Amino acid sequence: MNTFNTNSSQGPDEVVLRKAFRLSAPSPELKARAMKAAHEAWRATPAPRQGVARWWYPILELAAAGIILLVGSQINGFLISSDSSPGDLAGRGGSVQGAIEDLDISGRVHFRGGVGYAGSISVETLKARQGLLDNLLRDEATEAVDGTDRQNSLNGSSCLLKGLA
Amino acid sequence: MPMPDNAIETEIRKRVAADDPAALDLIWDQYGGRLHGFLVALLRSSHDAEDVLQDVLIKIASQRTRLLEVENLHAYFYSMARNEALTLIKRRERRHQPIHPDDLWLVPVAESPLSNDSAQEVRKTLEILPEEQRTVLVLKIYQDMTFLAISDSLGISLNTAASRYRYAMEKLRGLLKKEAL
């Protein structure tokens, strides 16, 4: 006889199911056997490198930030030499060409460091902060670019700086 | 008393990151029994469940870096167990391997409210339920898991867990009714 109340709207009672059966339990030796195999697999596999790498991430980030700051400060050091004259800039030779990449017509000075660090600063900011633009755009600097006029110098971007250097 | 899953999962990750195999003991203590029950429900065989559980533990050990990446460890364990079990089921089907009749996955209790015949009918009915419905039913009834815990472990929505349970119970009722006629 089926003892389930099959006519009830509640249907088979989970209490009955719970009381009628239990799930088969794992055999007592399963833990020992499975854990032995798992520990062997653990030993046979190299230690996770991910965890170690994660440890180094902050250090790498700090190092990268340090490099960026260093490069940035060098560029800035070059830019903030407010007393720089074209002659001073020329004296720095390669630094000028390496650090300042472009001076575009919209009035931004683009620069680039040696590790891919790049950026730009508006002429206004530059001017307000250091007055360097005045130096850059001095008549003698413009004249140094093979007699081209001021606008052409700006369009020709690095020509100006090349001329300075 | 077992630790909450979140706390234990943090501890497991710490041990794995430190390459401490004690992580395996934590995994076993926290999830071994639950995964075994889940596998028993899936495979309808205690022996197969044990074999698959061992394979799962081996896989966890040899692919332990993954434990540092996955967000929900217990769902990951259940998913691994399910995949391994489905592989075994396919192998069984390919080789036409029946489950040994003595391999009881659902054991009748001595003081059962059901007669022997009824108990057998109920078990047979449970066995022909779709795997996903049977699994939810077993987790709910025999592992005392809430629908929330089931949905979280199986990576399904709460509604899906509840409806699978409802369908399972309805089907069970329908089939039993047919038996009674």
Side-chain angles (χ1 to χ4, degrees):
Chain A
M1 188 188 86
N2 193 334
T3 57
F4 268 86
N5 181 8
T6 52
N7 293 321
S8 158
S9 60
Q10 290 183 340
D13 188 351
E14 66 179 52
V15 177
V16 175
L17 280 176
R18 204 190 302 264
K19 282 182 177 172
F21 302 101
R22 62 171 176 78
L23 276 185
S24 73
S27 61
E29 65 272 18
L30 173 64
K31 182 180 178 183
R33 178 163 55 94
M35 292 306 278
K36 185 169 178 267
H39 277 273
E40 277 169 13
W42 185 288
R43 281 193 297 274
T45 315
R49 297 175 64 188
Q50 175 108 10
V52 177
R54 281 185 177 173
W55 252 98
W56 288 97
Y57 284 170
I59 295 168
L60 287 175
E61 281 170 3
L62 278 175
I67 290 167
I68 288 168
L69 279 175
L70 186 65
V71 171
S73 67
Q74 288 209 344
I75 292 169
N76 206 31
F78 158 68
L79 292 175
I80 63 173
S81 54
S82 54
D83 294 327
S84 297
S85 66
D88 290 331
L89 296 173
R92 297 186 184 207
S95 303
V96 175
Q97 288 184 54
I100 297 188
E101 193 174 59
D102 202 0
L103 176 62
D104 68 23
I105 197 164
S106 66
R108 291 191 73 80
V109 176
H110 298 263
F111 53 88
R112 185 176 58 187
V115 289
Y117 178 68
S120 68
I121 186 167
S122 76
V123 166
E124 284 309 310
T125 308
L126 193 60
K127 195 174 180 179
R129 282 170 59 191
Q130 306 300 338
L132 178 62
L133 186 67
D134 289 337
N135 289 333
L136 289 171
L137 299 179
R138 253 181 214 168
D139 288 341
E140 55 264 43
T142 313
E143 285 165 10
V145 189
D146 300 328
T148 54
D149 63 26
R150 182 187 174 108
Q151 188 59 53
N152 281 342
S153 296
L154 291 170
N155 285 340
S157 61
S158 61
C159 290
L160 172 63
L161 296 161
K162 200 178 273 182
L164 285 171
Chain B
M1 190 180 155
M3 287 171 76
D5 279 354
N6 284 347
I8 205 82
E9 289 186 7
T10 306
E11 194 57 36
I12 289 168
R13 285 196 182 91
K14 268 189 205 164
R15 304 246 171 135
V16 170
D19 201 33
D20 179 1
L24 290 172
D25 300 275
L26 285 177
I27 292 168
W28 176 270
D29 291 342
Q30 189 77 1
Y31 302 108
R34 286 195 247 172
L35 288 174
H36 180 265
F38 173 63
L39 288 167
V40 163
L42 265 173
L43 294 161
R44 292 175 290 127
S45 158
S46 188
H47 293 145
D48 286 349
E50 291 194 3
D51 289 345
V52 169
L53 183 54
Q54 181 170 322
D55 290 346
V56 168
L57 279 166
I58 290 171
K59 216 165 205 175
I60 288 172
S62 55
Q63 299 176 0
R64 58 190 180 274
T65 35
R66 298 286 307 277
L67 305 186
L68 301 173
E69 295 159 6
V70 294
E71 209 169 288
N72 181 340
L73 273 191
H74 61 276
Y76 176 65
F77 295 148
Y78 273 93
S79 164
M80 272 180 104
R82 183 170 186 274
N83 289 340
E84 290 291 313
L86 293 181
T87 306
L88 181 75
I89 290 169
K90 277 183 197 156
R91 202 185 311 146
R92 261 191 210 156
E93 286 169 356
R94 265 202 316 272
R95 295 178 184 171
H96 305 289
Q97 284 176 325
I99 299 166
H100 197 279
D102 292 340
D103 189 1
L104 288 184
W105 65 284
L106 207 53
V107 184
V109 174
E111 307 82 36
S112 169
L114 297 175
S115 67
N116 283 345
D117 288 350
S118 295
Q120 213 168 339
E121 280 168 26
V122 171
R123 198 174 58 230
K124 274 183 193 165
T125 307
L126 283 168
E127 284 175 0
I128 57 171
L129 284 177
E131 159 258 314
E132 50 193 26
Q133 292 176 12
R134 184 176 59 246
T135 307
V136 171
L137 188 140
V138 166
L139 295 180
K140 179 92 176 76
I141 293 183
Y142 296 104
Q143 296 207 322
D144 284 325
M145 285 172 75
T146 61
F147 285 131
L148 186 65
I150 292 170
S151 64
D152 191 34
S153 298
L154 301 186
I156 56 178
S157 75
L158 192 63
N159 282 342
T160 306
S163 19
R164 283 182 187 175
Y165 179 77
R166 198 178 63 246
Y167 289 141
M169 290 304 261
E170 279 171 7
K171 213 161 196 175
L172 198 59
R173 190 189 306 144
L175 289 165
L176 286 166
K177 201 171 183 178
K178 211 184 288 175
E179 288 288 330
L181 289 173

